Amino acid sequence: ALMSDHGGMTGGRPSGSGQQGAAGPQGLVGGRGPMGRRGPMGGGPMGPMGGMMKGEKAKDFKGTMRKLIGYLGAYRIAIAAILVVSAGSTVFSIVGPKILGRATTKLFEGVVAKISGTGSIDFPGIGRIILTVLGLYALSAVFSYVQGWIMADVSMRITYRLRRDIAEKVNRMPLRFFDGTNHGEVLSLVSNDVDTVNRTLSQSLTQIVTSAATVIGVLVMMLSISWSMTLVALAIIPLSLILVGVIVKRSQVYFKQQQEYLGHLNGHVEEMYGGHTVMKAFNGEERSIAKFAGLNGTLYKAGWKSQFLSGLMMPLMHVVGNLGYVGVSILGGVLAVRKAITVGDIQAFIQYVRTFTQPITQLANISNVLQQTAAASERVFAFLAQPEETPDAATSTGSCGDRG
């Protein structure tokens, strides 16, 4: 029974098959399990889950996302509230800089009037403007807190449903599935892949709404200040998109590889601990350690490269953003001398330019996260779609056992 349970590790075949038995040393390192698939020590998992562990994008992105949205259907009211609250929080934060620019203008005009002896600084008016801006920012913070609280509740409920469905599915799977599948891969579904979906729902979903609302709102506010300065600010977008596209394209490959080898590593460790006695009996320590070192090394390289490339994005975006600040400051100074805009408008516009580049970067990052989420969700849904053990098959198996 022990040899049969660990057939995926030892690569042995049931006795009487006419093939290399479980006690054969070759079975430990390179044989095939009862399902005719190589075990983790013989070249990686090749069971029913093996086809879902590749490093490429999700095979059916749209179909997988539709299934995931189907899981969200039971919480449509809460999600609608999240979208409304998220948009409201963004609007309140966007309006603030333009109103604050009026305080800067009043202060500048008061200083000029005081120097020329024609007036003084309107501190009460500046105070009212500041209180208004503080109120807007406070409302934005409250809306943001409510949004995070509701989204955390929804994401955890969906995560619970996914794990519950996987657990119930495991109990209905035929034994041949586990004979030919690395147990660690199934554990990776319950932990790593479901956690990936959870992170996307709790963070990226609201970021999509917030970033989209920020881009649209900031663009409207910049146009309301100066269309010519807006054109200068928009000139940096093509360069930003090119840099973001190049980084995302390269980092995505390593993020996929990282997710893939994390499952392989978990599967190998689970198999080695589960079959520790058998592995020791056939002197498989060196090969086990060598395979662990190989998987761990690949995981380290993929993780390092993915984090390094993703870490390049913000510094590069800051450099590009600084080019936009220079152009906006020069043009704003010229327009201020011509009295086409006020000093406060320049200050507000610079704040908007700084805000405008951030959601673009966030949307690019989210597009990469969504690809990872689709790949993880596809593996989960593919497992849930696996054929189950039917009552007829179970009865037939039991009858054969009785006759034997």
Side-chain angles (χ1 to χ4, degrees):
L2 180 62
M3 293 301 147
S4 177
D5 290 343
H6 296 285
M9 183 196 73
T10 61
R13 293 179 177 270
S15 61
S17 64
Q19 302 294 333
Q20 177 68 40
Q26 294 302 319
L28 176 67
V29 298
R32 293 178 180 271
M35 297 301 294
R37 300 173 174 88
R38 287 188 179 274
M41 294 189 69
M46 294 298 290
M49 299 296 297
M52 292 178 279
M53 288 301 295
K54 303 301 181 184
E56 71 273 7
K57 299 179 182 178
K59 296 183 177 69
D60 184 11
F61 179 84
K62 293 182 180 179
T64 302
M65 296 309 291
R66 278 196 298 266
K67 292 179 182 178
L68 187 58
I69 292 173
Y71 264 76
L72 299 175
Y75 310 99
R76 59 174 64 91
I77 296 177
I79 292 176
I82 290 170
L83 299 181
V84 171
V85 172
S86 179
S89 173
T90 304
V91 169
F92 286 133
S93 63
I94 289 175
V95 175
K98 187 169 184 178
I99 297 177
L100 192 61
R102 298 174 186 173
T104 303
T105 301
K106 278 185 173 291
L107 181 61
F108 175 77
E109 291 174 349
V111 170
V112 173
K114 191 172 183 178
I115 292 175
S116 60
T118 58
S120 61
I121 301 174
D122 184 11
F123 285 110
I126 295 174
R128 287 192 296 270
I129 294 174
I130 292 176
L131 288 176
T132 301
V133 173
L134 289 176
L136 290 174
Y137 286 155
L139 283 174
S140 176
V142 171
F143 275 43
S144 179
Y145 173 79
V146 173
Q147 158 210 308
W149 183 77
I150 299 175
M151 193 67 245
D153 180 67
V154 172
S155 64
M156 292 309 300
R157 288 177 182 272
I158 294 174
T159 301
Y160 170 79
R161 283 185 59 194
L162 283 173
R163 288 200 169 109
R164 182 196 63 191
D165 291 345
I166 293 174
E168 293 175 353
K169 181 74 174 182
V170 167
N171 293 330
R172 299 192 299 266
M173 294 297 288
L175 291 177
R176 64 177 179 274
F177 174 85
F178 299 101
D179 286 338
T181 303
N182 192 315
H183 300 166
E185 304 291 355
V186 180
L187 294 176
S188 182
L189 280 176
V190 180
S191 57
N192 299 327
D193 292 325
V194 175
D195 282 343
T196 299
V197 176
N198 179 31
R199 286 194 300 271
T200 299
L201 294 176
S202 60
Q203 300 174 11
S204 300
L205 183 61
T206 54
Q207 277 189 357
I208 292 174
V209 180
T210 302
S211 299
T214 301
V215 169
I216 297 173
V218 168
L219 183 60
V220 171
M221 298 304 292
M222 289 194 302
L223 287 172
S224 67
I225 295 175
S226 172
W227 64 268
S228 58
M229 292 172 66
T230 302
L231 291 178
V232 173
L234 292 178
I236 67 173
I237 292 181
L239 180 58
S240 301
L241 293 178
I242 291 173
L243 291 175
V244 169
V246 171
I247 294 175
V248 169
K249 184 177 180 180
R250 292 181 177 274
S251 64
Q252 185 177 2
V253 175
Y254 297 112
F255 274 119
K256 299 296 180 183
Q257 190 179 24
Q258 180 181 0
Q259 191 76 6
E260 173 189 357
Y261 275 86
L262 186 59
H264 290 341
L265 191 65
N266 286 341
H268 177 70
V269 172
E270 192 275 339
E271 288 287 350
M272 292 303 101
Y273 275 102
H276 183 71
T277 304
V278 179
M279 184 267 295
K280 290 281 289 184
F282 297 112
N283 298 321
E285 296 94 330
E286 292 185 3
R287 290 185 178 273
S288 175
I289 294 173
K291 179 166 185 181
F292 176 85
L295 293 173
N296 196 36
T298 304
L299 178 61
Y300 166 77
K301 291 177 182 178
W304 188 92
K305 290 177 181 178
S306 62
Q307 295 301 323
F308 174 76
L309 289 173
S310 61
L312 286 177
M313 188 172 295
M314 291 308 296
L316 289 176
M317 291 300 294
H318 286 158
V319 172
V320 175
N322 289 334
L323 295 177
Y325 300 150
V326 173
V328 167
S329 298
I330 294 174
L331 181 58
V334 173
L335 294 176
V337 170
R338 297 177 179 177
K339 299 187 182 300
I341 60 174
T342 64
V343 175
D345 286 338
I346 297 176
Q347 175 243 324
F349 197 93
I350 291 177
Q351 284 186 271
Y352 284 132
V353 172
R354 183 183 298 275
T355 306
F356 190 67
T357 57
Q358 292 177 353
I360 295 177
T361 306
Q362 290 175 351
L363 288 173
N365 284 329
I366 290 171
S367 66
N368 190 29
V369 171
L370 288 178
Q371 289 289 348
Q372 298 180 51
T373 304
S377 301
E378 189 173 59
R379 294 182 59 211
V380 172
F381 293 134
F383 174 75
L384 294 176
Q386 288 286 331
E388 301 176 2
E389 185 174 23
T390 61
D392 293 340
T395 303
S396 174
T397 304
S399 298
C400 292
D402 293 339
R403 288 195 298 269

